[in-house]
Amino acid sequence: MEQQDLNKRLLLALALSFFVFVGYSYLFPPQQQVAQTEQNVTNKPAPQAAASDTAAKSTPTSMDKAQNAPVTASGGKSLATITSKTFKMTIDEFGRIAQYELLEKKYENEEGHNLQILGAQEVKPLEIRFSDTKLNDEAFKTPYTNSGTATVDVTTSAQTLTLTQQLSSLTVTKKITVNPDGSYTVDVTTSAPAPYFITPGHRPMADHSMYMLVRGALIKGADDIITTIKDGDAKGDETFKNAKIASAFDRYVATMFYDFKKGMNVSILKVGDGDPLIFVEGGQNLHLGGYIGPKEYNILKNINPELTDAIEFGWFTFLSKPFFKVLLWIHGLIGNWGWAIILFTLLVKLVLFPLSYKGMMSMQKLKDLAPKMKELKAKYKDDPAKLNAQMMEMYKKNGANPMGGCLPMLLQIPVFFALYRVLLNADELQGAMWIPGWIDNLAGADPYYILPVLMGVTMWFQQKITPNNFTDPLQEKIFQWFPVIMAGMFIIMPFPSGLVLYWVVNNIFTIGQQYVINKAYAKHKAAAIAAHKKGKDS
């Protein structure tokens, strides 16, 4: 296959995969997510499913099954409200976190209201389910009492809330110590042994964007292996012994338990259409660390460095995670996420430059050989084996590598998608300003569509200066319209401006690279011609 054809097909594959990876999920959002959104909007009480369908599977220690608990509608009685500079947490009469509200301006919705991250009809964090059916039923009819104040301020220091539930045969005490950063500890004691499970709650329902995002549960096991169970993929029989982290996460936020010393016995309950619901086996004296709020790297790192493993980037986490750390490092030096993205893009181009240089030089040589290739194709059109042999001989004689331009292009595909995941999922970009008055939120779309237009223009110009040798008219037409299609898609869909910024800057640097290589090749070609002339004259 001719090198130019191969490169074009690779780029077509990249374009098609981009449309499938991003465009399809935007145009055809998952029905399950839409249904959940509608349920929250209508705020109808959730029906109680049969215990056999919704029972949490027992932990590896052969505990009995936890029974399904009723879901109370929002707006029920509140025992306490805990506030800090960045959040407001409401504790309901069953000792659960009924709602968690983010108070920072960058999290406000389009109507200017604070973001509430917990689904109105979903299972709440700190809910306890007893293995004994009768005891469990009684527990969800018996409210807790609060021995302290109903208004707790944790702005400057941690505060402890003590809740007590008096059942007919058992007293349950929950001590919840909340820190200013949203982390907390929960100590559960029972007056007598009574097998139970406690949950960090259903994953937050804070983001309803139609991108192909990863949402669900993340478990970091005792062996440090991270397992992600996406919404729709839960089987209901997953168990993890001595797990370190159990997180239920959305795009930017999560609710989680952690225990890095003893570990937790974790079971996954299948709810809805296959969504995972995390349960942790309890005991007469249970101590757990917890966190609820944004998956911001520095917040999680300050609580415990291992908690940063709860930041999930999907399929490309193996690349996205180191990319994210490099971006964090650059941002720490310059303090602006927009310029950090630009410098990161430059760094990627510098690292890949040696490969890009070889590939682009090979493409230049193949462009010069294009007329001879056509002659060979015409001459040996009925003899493919002979044609390939002649072409290989020509490549060897002229020092051209037909595969030389493929590797840089192949490397760009995982790099792009890995960075796409970072820029789509990093909470740090929410409210991050690049240029005041223009890009005030790198997690949101460009309000003036300047970046999408620049992306289309730079793609078109890049095509104009890149050596081309189309043999298929359809390919040529597709490539001529490709910049327009991409710019149009980025205008119609609200892609994060941080992602579009990366693409624009990458195009600009590629144009610069192409100019440098074009000049270098022109000098190389002139020197080769001069040497050839000199050899003839002598």
Side-chain angles (χ1 to χ4, degrees):
M1 181 184 293
E2 187 179 328
Q3 166 67 16
Q4 294 294 329
D5 288 342
L6 186 56
N7 284 337
K8 300 303 176 295
R9 291 183 186 183
L10 281 171
L11 192 51
L12 276 176
L14 172 59
L16 290 173
S17 61
F18 180 84
F19 279 116
V20 172
F21 190 72
V22 180
Y24 182 86
S25 64
Y26 182 87
L27 295 172
F28 305 99
Q31 293 301 312
Q32 177 186 348
Q33 180 65 31
V34 173
Q36 288 172 334
T37 305
E38 291 173 351
Q39 183 189 33
N40 288 341
V41 171
T42 56
N43 201 33
K44 294 179 181 178
Q48 180 174 344
S52 60
D53 293 332
T54 59
K57 299 297 186 294
S58 61
T59 65
T61 54
S62 300
M63 294 289 291
D64 293 333
K65 295 180 179 180
Q67 302 301 312
N68 183 59
V71 180
T72 57
S74 59
K77 185 178 178 182
S78 171
L79 288 184
T81 301
I82 303 167
T83 57
S84 78
K85 287 183 179 179
T86 58
F87 67 84
K88 181 169 75 172
M89 181 189 297
T90 305
I91 306 296
D92 70 8
E93 60 184 333
F94 292 105
R96 309 175 302 184
I97 301 175
Q99 191 51 265
Y100 190 90
E101 188 173 328
L102 295 172
L103 304 181
E104 293 177 86
K105 186 174 179 60
K106 68 178 183 177
Y107 296 114
E108 288 181 357
N109 59 23
E110 295 177 357
E111 290 76 30
H113 300 146
N114 292 332
L115 178 64
Q116 296 183 342
I117 72 172
L118 299 179
Q121 306 300 326
E122 307 299 341
V123 176
K124 301 300 189 291
L126 302 184
E127 178 171 299
I128 288 178
R129 298 188 185 182
F130 289 94
S131 297
D132 183 276
T133 306
K134 291 182 179 179
L135 186 60
N136 193 65
D137 290 341
E138 182 187 0
F140 276 92
K141 295 174 183 176
T142 307
Y144 282 74
T145 57
N146 178 9
S147 61
T149 178
T151 303
V152 181
D153 189 345
V154 296
T155 301
T156 57
S157 62
Q159 300 292 331
T160 300
L161 188 68
T162 302
L163 308 176
T164 305
Q165 184 181 47
Q166 188 64 56
L167 303 176
S168 57
S169 61
L170 192 73
T171 300
V172 182
T173 303
K174 279 185 188 177
K175 284 188 178 180
I176 309 168
T177 302
V178 183
N179 299 305
D181 56 9
S183 64
Y184 62 89
T185 59
V186 56
D187 291 274
V188 180
T189 58
T190 57
S191 58
Y196 67 89
F197 295 89
I198 187 169
T199 176
H202 187 278
R203 72 157 177 87
M205 307 285 285
D207 180 87
H208 302 298
S209 58
M210 293 178 285
Y211 300 112
M212 192 178 290
L213 297 166
V214 180
R215 299 177 170 102
L218 178 148
I219 310 296
K220 182 176 181 180
D223 52 6
D224 293 329
I225 293 176
I226 295 174
T227 302
T228 301
I229 304 171
K230 297 187 294 184
D231 281 0
D233 288 351
K235 297 177 181 177
D237 58 1
E238 300 93 337
T239 57
F240 304 85
K241 190 174 183 180
N242 300 324
K244 296 181 177 181
I245 301 172
S247 170
F249 66 93
D250 196 10
R251 179 180 179 182
Y252 291 124
V253 293
T255 172
M256 65 185 80
F257 288 154
Y258 55 89
D259 187 340
F260 299 112
K261 293 181 179 179
K262 297 180 179 179
M264 307 170 290
N265 291 336
V266 176
S267 300
I268 302 297
L269 171 68
K270 177 181 176 180
V271 296
D273 294 326
D275 294 352
L277 181 60
I278 298 168
F279 279 94
V280 172
E281 179 188 351
Q284 194 167 0
N285 293 284
L286 175 69
H287 175 83
L288 291 175
Y291 174 77
I292 183 169
K295 293 184 292 181
E296 192 170 319
Y297 185 88
N298 286 330
I299 291 177
L300 297 177
K301 183 181 177 182
N302 289 336
I303 298 169
N304 189 298
E306 275 197 78
L307 279 184
T308 59
D309 288 335
I311 301 174
E312 170 63 48
F313 295 111
W315 298 340
F316 290 92
T317 296
F318 71 99
L319 271 181
S320 297
K321 204 163 187 178
F323 285 178
F324 182 49
K325 288 184 178 180
V326 173
L327 273 168
L328 284 168
W329 175 73
I330 296 173
H331 177 262
L333 296 177
I334 62 177
N336 183 291
W337 278 104
W339 295 114
I341 291 170
I342 291 171
L343 289 177
F344 177 83
T345 309
L346 176 60
L347 181 62
V348 171
K349 298 301 286 185
L350 290 173
V351 170
L352 295 179
F353 182 76
L355 288 173
S356 298
Y357 180 84
K358 289 181 180 179
M360 290 179 175
M361 290 293 280
S362 179
M363 290 172 70
Q364 291 281 12
K365 290 179 182 179
L366 290 167
K367 179 187 175 184
D368 290 342
L369 293 175
K372 293 182 180 179
M373 290 181 187
K374 289 181 180 178
E375 291 176 9
L376 289 175
K377 286 181 178 180
K379 186 176 181 180
Y380 300 104
K381 61 181 179 180
D382 297 324
D383 191 349
K386 185 71 172 176
L387 173 62
N388 286 334
Q390 290 294 321
M391 288 180 71
M392 289 300 107
E393 181 64 28
M394 184 178 63
Y395 293 149
K396 185 177 179 181
K397 182 179 178 181
N398 291 275
N401 182 359
M403 299 298 292
C406 298
L407 185 58
M409 189 171 294
L410 286 172
L411 285 174
Q412 288 180 35
I413 295 174
V415 167
F416 171 77
F417 284 123
L419 193 58
Y420 166 79
R421 282 296 190 185
V422 170
L423 299 178
L424 197 64
N425 288 278
D427 177 72
E428 284 78 359
L429 294 185
Q430 290 206 85
M433 182 183 295
W434 176 37
I435 297 178
W438 174 23
I439 304 296
D440 297 323
N441 179 16
L442 285 164
D446 181 347
Y448 305 112
Y449 306 108
I450 296 172
L451 285 176
V453 172
L454 282 176
M455 187 195 71
V457 170
T458 53
M459 285 184 72
W460 172 82
F461 192 74
Q462 183 183 335
Q463 285 186 8
K464 297 294 286 185
I465 67 169
T466 301
N468 287 316
N469 179 32
F470 292 103
T471 57
D472 184 347
L474 179 60
Q475 282 188 14
E476 186 172 9
K477 286 183 180 179
I478 292 174
F479 270 78
Q480 286 174 347
W481 284 98
F482 187 60
V484 177
I485 295 170
M486 292 300 292
M489 187 176 73
F490 273 57
I491 289 172
I492 294 171
M493 300 180 189
F495 282 95
S497 53
L499 176 67
V500 190
L501 174 63
Y502 162 75
W503 200 318
V504 170
V505 173
N506 183 68
N507 287 347
I508 292 171
F509 287 153
T510 302
I511 289 168
Q513 268 188 353
Q514 192 67 58
Y515 266 116
V516 170
I517 289 168
N518 286 353
K519 287 184 178 181
Y521 184 73
K523 288 181 181 179
H524 169 77
K525 188 176 178 181
I529 292 172
H532 183 67
K533 264 189 175 182
K534 188 177 180 182
K536 272 190 173 183
D537 293 341
S538 61

